[in-house]
Amino acid sequence: MMRGVSIQIHSWAGGCTLRKIGKIRDVAKEAGLSIATVSRVVNGATNVSQPTRERVLKACAKLDYVPNPAARALSTNKSRTIAAIIPTIEHSVFAKYIAAIEQALSERNYSLVMAISNADEIEELKAAKKLLGMGAEAFILTGAAHSDELYNMFERRSVPHVLTSIWDLRNTSATIGYDNTALAAQAVEFLAARGHARIAVIHGPLAQSDRTQARKTGALSASQEHPALDFFETTLNVAGGKHAVHKLLRSGRQYTAILCFSDVLALGTYFALAQAGFRIPDDISVMGFDNLDWSEHVVPPLTTINLPARRMGYEVASQLVRHLENSEPIVPTLLSGQIIERRSVHRI
Amino acid sequence: MMRGVSIQIHSWAGGCTLRKIGKIRDVAKEAGLSIATVSRVVNGATNVSQPTRERVLKACAKLDYVPNPAARALSTNKSRTIAAIIPTIEHSVFAKYIAAIEQALSERNYSLVMAISNADEIEELKAAKKLLGMGAEAFILTGAAHSDELYNMFERRSVPHVLTSIWDLRNTSATIGYDNTALAAQAVEFLAARGHARIAVIHGPLAQSDRTQARKTGALSASQEHPALDFFETTLNVAGGKHAVHKLLRSGRQYTAILCFSDVLALGTYFALAQAGFRIPDDISVMGFDNLDWSEHVVPPLTTINLPARRMGYEVASQLVRHLENSEPIVPTLLSGQIIERRSVHRI
DNA sequence: CTGTTAGCGCATTCAG
DNA sequence: CTGAATGCGCTAACAG
């Protein structure tokens, strides 16, 4: 191993005086104190006299001292790193959610390592192993459907983890999220209350998402024969929404409303309907799920269900940090979503 | 410090036999070999006999051995962590880009730590310091506009970094991206070639984005009085696109085409135009920038400029890893974007 | 091919 | 309030 030799091949680094970046020992020498004292002030211990503290701080500044995170992690057995595994980050509510987690973690001086599982349990397991092997202290997962091996690994190593985007007390892992079942039921009731008796429901792949499954269950529980519900499964993107509408139109059945289990699908629905010459909400009502930032700006503004994505990210991150730092238990938390009534649903 | 004591308060962890997770010494003991040998096979050294290797592997499996990343990082002075700072992750091409980086890094057993700067140099600097203090070995930035202090920090510590989403050889830092100026010029030429003589250009905040500035420069350079260009600055989201169109309509000038410097703005444009009773492209043409995944599914399908976001993410990640591992230089790379002609632009 | 050993940089006892 | 000494778990010389 070449110790102390730093190779430098960046053309942009030429011509500058590169003082050596200080380690804790250098700072101690510079300040004429011991490394223990330096460590104390750097870590905010209170048992250091004010003059000493200032001497150390000055030395730190002079040497541009940044504690080596690996050494610190090795010594404390804490990496200050939390992992999040999400099914996808593109065109979805997850971007919002991840942004919130990142921010909350950042404020607490933690870092986020992220992996994308593509809604695949095997990929997820692989990612989790890698993340663990990179020092993640805790995991944020989406939904409750994960491989047994993943759960076993967490259990075996006592890795704190929380399940998000769902609300399911049957689960033994801590859960912070919203109740997809109840929310979908509310959506159906909302539509029924406005006189819709035959509703087409467009949703993403059931096999890949227990959130979608929960929503379907909820919709079904709210209908009980009335209103009549027909389900159309499709891919979870704008194209999928369009295809589903085409199919639904060809089915020949007369729907007065379309409920989409994602705003992205609703956007596709808007375009397919426009193409087919239907006006929203006069000819047919459309309702979404997610309340993405553009949902209120489509025409007509989309009636949808607001999901507390930001709040969820914030809550998960802060609870996990509290747990890691003070061993506070993770308290299962139900966050509320709500129907945002705009202009895309008509009363019949 | 409490060493070796792992606190466990997860209700879900009860009832399972928690064998102690092995360290390298435990594995060595289990296999009846030295820790050096274990280290060798774990790190894929070739100078280990096959039988020995197998004994080690078996012991690793038995003890569920995962090398401690902090110890490894401390010893090798390498964290296998790369940082990316992006302006935003929501509703944008950055989600796609980050997904690509994550994937490429993941394949090489690196991890990505991400921060969101909200297009603010001060926030960015703060984030970079934190990320550095968390062990990031290299940085991926967006654009070329960064605080001097950030550049100095990188120079002083010899931190490899690459600027992305732009192409600017005047810059001293390595750059991997696309040529916003040229692409915007092409867009204007494309429109001009189809007979558009008066074009409204809608774009996001210039002050926050040198990419937007470059696009404006490019558009201007391609017009030279003809076609006539009017610029409308707005917020970079669907609402912004709508507002800009409202303003542009109120201006009273007759535009035959609207060029949006982002597909997100184009989406807002679609809705504003629909609201105002204009048909695309019969009454007015619309062109975008980004080629987001839904762009081909809006109605009419959006003519736009494809940005190589995925390829860029992949390229940056792999070059950075090669640089870190083999000291290969980062080669400035221009990736090509191209006009995707669909149905939203009319020939006059 | 395998084992012994010396740090990596830091936090934290334990003395003083 | 401050300092000296120990070890976190691992990699990489170096010896055999």
Side-chain angles (χ1 to χ4, degrees):
Chain A
M1 187 176 52
M2 297 177 305
R3 293 195 194 275
V5 179
S6 88
I7 295 175
Q8 189 186 317
I9 60 164
H10 314 295
S11 57
W12 42 265
C16 121
T17 316
L18 277 182
R19 274 177 303 172
K20 204 174 149 230
I21 297 296
K23 323 275 186 199
I24 196 171
R25 246 177 222 90
D26 305 313
V27 176
K29 193 174 298 171
E30 172 72 29
L33 292 161
S34 73
I35 63 168
T37 304
V38 175
S39 177
R40 284 191 190 101
V41 352
V42 167
N43 291 294
T46 51
N47 49 348
V48 180
S49 74
Q50 194 54 33
T52 304
R53 173 181 306 279
E54 278 162 17
R55 267 202 297 166
V56 171
L57 258 19
K58 192 177 299 176
C60 284
K62 182 165 179 192
L63 298 186
D64 238 341
Y65 175 64
V66 173
N68 179 318
R72 184 177 261 177
L74 182 57
S75 187
T76 59
N77 202 24
K78 282 169 172 32
S79 65
R80 301 186 77 81
T81 293
I82 290 177
I85 305 181
I86 56 175
T88 174
I89 195 169
E90 298 176 46
H91 50 74
S92 83
V93 72
F94 287 110
K96 212 162 145 181
Y97 169 52
I98 282 293
I101 293 177
E102 194 277 329
Q103 192 189 329
L105 249 25
S106 188
E107 284 168 3
R108 290 160 180 71
N109 253 282
Y110 269 66
S111 58
L112 167 69
V113 289
M114 192 189 72
I116 297 164
S117 70
N118 297 312
D120 181 298
E121 287 191 9
I122 309 298
E123 271 195 61
E124 183 186 53
L125 179 63
K126 254 182 55 188
K129 281 184 174 162
K130 209 202 54 196
L131 263 18
L132 231 203
M134 283 173 157
E137 290 184 61
F139 280 76
I140 300 173
L141 304 176
T142 300
H146 307 285
S147 67
D148 287 344
E149 199 180 333
L150 183 65
Y151 280 121
N152 288 339
M153 187 174 83
F154 286 159
E155 194 172 339
R156 179 140 163 52
R157 296 179 179 272
S158 312
V159 178
H161 60 276
V162 5
L163 273 24
T164 66
S165 305
I166 56 164
W167 178 248
D168 184 354
L169 284 176
R170 290 169 310 181
N171 213 289
T172 50
S173 301
T175 291
I176 297 178
Y178 37 81
D179 188 339
N180 290 284
T181 308
L183 256 16
Q186 281 174 38
V188 170
E189 283 157 11
F190 177 89
L191 258 12
R194 276 149 191 78
H196 295 281
R198 179 166 295 281
I199 302 170
V201 179
I202 300 178
H203 59 79
L206 285 168
Q208 284 180 13
S209 166
D210 54 356
R211 283 89 61 213
T212 302
Q213 289 165 30
R215 290 176 195 181
K216 179 168 182 179
T217 303
L220 245 16
S221 77
S223 81
Q224 305 286 41
E225 300 296 316
H226 190 82
L229 261 32
D230 288 342
F231 291 87
F232 295 84
E233 178 164 336
T234 185
T235 56
L236 195 45
N237 52 33
V238 174
K242 285 178 76 175
H243 291 149
V245 170
H246 293 154
K247 199 158 84 182
L248 149 186
L249 255 21
R250 279 199 310 272
S251 77
R253 310 195 73 161
Q254 297 286 35
Y255 299 101
T256 59
I258 299 176
L259 171 59
C260 297
F261 280 170
S262 161
D263 282 2
V264 167
L265 296 174
L267 186 58
T269 297
Y270 268 49
F271 286 117
L273 253 21
Q275 224 168 2
F278 286 82
R279 286 162 311 161
I280 304 169
D282 312 80
D283 299 325
I284 191 163
S285 294
V286 177
M287 183 165 180
F289 217 109
D290 282 348
N291 194 29
L292 298 183
D293 65 289
W294 45 260
S295 303
E296 63 174 309
H297 300 292
V298 298
V299 176
L302 181 64
T303 293
T304 187
I305 295 188
N306 182 55
L307 259 27
R310 296 207 85 86
R311 211 145 56 79
M312 186 169 73
Y314 186 84
E315 192 64 33
V316 177
S318 46
Q319 283 214 35
L320 234 21
V321 170
R322 280 206 298 273
H323 176 217
L324 256 17
E325 311 231 296
N326 317 322
S327 299
E328 291 181 31
I330 292 168
V331 355
T333 307
L334 172 62
L335 302 172
S336 60
Q338 55 281 122
I339 294 176
I340 307 288
E341 183 164 10
R342 291 199 273 244
R343 316 261 327 278
S344 66
V345 173
H346 208 249
R347 183 178 291 277
I348 296 212
Chain B
M1 187 178 53
M2 297 178 305
R3 295 193 191 276
V5 179
S6 88
I7 294 176
Q8 190 186 319
I9 61 163
H10 315 294
S11 58
W12 42 265
C16 124
T17 317
L18 278 182
R19 275 176 303 172
K20 200 172 151 238
I21 298 295
K23 322 274 187 199
I24 197 171
R25 247 177 220 91
D26 305 314
V27 176
K29 193 175 297 172
E30 171 74 28
L33 291 160
S34 73
I35 62 168
T37 303
V38 175
S39 177
R40 284 190 191 99
V41 349
V42 166
N43 291 295
T46 51
N47 51 347
V48 181
S49 76
Q50 195 51 33
T52 304
R53 173 182 307 278
E54 277 163 17
R55 266 203 297 167
V56 172
L57 258 20
K58 192 177 297 175
C60 284
K62 184 165 178 191
L63 298 187
D64 239 338
Y65 174 64
V66 172
N68 180 318
R72 182 178 265 176
L74 182 57
S75 186
T76 58
N77 201 25
K78 280 168 173 32
S79 65
R80 301 187 77 81
T81 294
I82 289 176
I85 305 181
I86 55 176
T88 173
I89 194 169
E90 297 176 47
H91 51 75
S92 82
V93 72
F94 287 111
K96 213 163 145 179
Y97 169 53
I98 281 293
I101 294 177
E102 193 278 328
Q103 193 188 329
L105 250 25
S106 187
E107 284 168 3
R108 290 158 180 72
N109 253 285
Y110 269 65
S111 58
L112 167 69
V113 291
M114 191 188 74
I116 297 165
S117 69
N118 296 312
D120 181 297
E121 287 191 8
I122 309 298
E123 272 195 60
E124 184 187 51
L125 178 63
K126 254 182 57 188
K129 282 183 174 162
K130 210 202 55 198
L131 263 17
L132 230 204
M134 282 173 157
E137 292 183 61
F139 281 75
I140 300 173
L141 304 176
T142 300
H146 307 285
S147 67
D148 288 343
E149 200 180 334
L150 183 65
Y151 280 121
N152 289 339
M153 187 173 84
F154 286 160
E155 195 174 338
R156 179 142 161 53
R157 295 178 181 274
S158 311
V159 179
H161 59 276
V162 5
L163 271 26
T164 66
S165 303
I166 56 164
W167 179 247
D168 184 354
L169 285 177
R170 289 169 310 181
N171 214 290
T172 51
S173 301
T175 291
I176 298 178
Y178 36 80
D179 188 340
N180 290 284
T181 307
L183 256 16
Q186 281 175 38
V188 170
E189 283 157 11
F190 177 89
L191 257 15
R194 277 152 191 76
H196 294 282
R198 179 166 294 283
I199 303 170
V201 180
I202 300 179
H203 59 79
L206 284 169
Q208 284 180 15
S209 167
D210 54 355
R211 283 89 61 215
T212 301
Q213 290 165 29
R215 290 176 195 180
K216 181 168 180 179
T217 303
L220 245 17
S221 77
S223 79
Q224 306 285 41
E225 299 298 315
H226 189 83
L229 260 34
D230 287 342
F231 292 87
F232 295 84
E233 178 163 336
T234 185
T235 55
L236 196 44
N237 53 33
V238 174
K242 285 178 77 176
H243 291 148
V245 170
H246 292 153
K247 199 157 83 182
L248 145 191
L249 255 21
R250 279 200 309 272
S251 76
R253 310 195 72 162
Q254 296 286 34
Y255 299 101
T256 59
I258 299 176
L259 171 59
C260 297
F261 280 169
S262 161
D263 281 2
V264 167
L265 296 174
L267 187 58
T269 298
Y270 268 49
F271 286 116
L273 254 18
Q275 224 167 2
F278 287 81
R279 285 162 311 158
I280 306 170
D282 312 80
D283 299 326
I284 190 164
S285 293
V286 177
M287 185 164 179
F289 217 110
D290 282 349
N291 193 28
L292 298 182
D293 65 289
W294 46 258
S295 303
E296 63 173 308
H297 300 292
V298 298
V299 176
L302 181 65
T303 293
T304 188
I305 294 188
N306 182 56
L307 258 26
R310 295 207 87 87
R311 212 143 55 79
M312 186 170 73
Y314 187 85
E315 192 64 33
V316 177
S318 46
Q319 282 214 36
L320 234 21
V321 170
R322 280 205 298 273
H323 176 220
L324 257 17
E325 310 231 299
N326 315 322
S327 299
E328 291 181 29
I330 293 168
V331 356
T333 308
L334 172 62
L335 301 172
S336 59
Q338 54 281 122
I339 293 177
I340 308 286
E341 183 165 9
R342 292 200 273 244
R343 315 262 327 279
S344 65
V345 174
H346 209 249
R347 184 179 290 278
I348 295 209

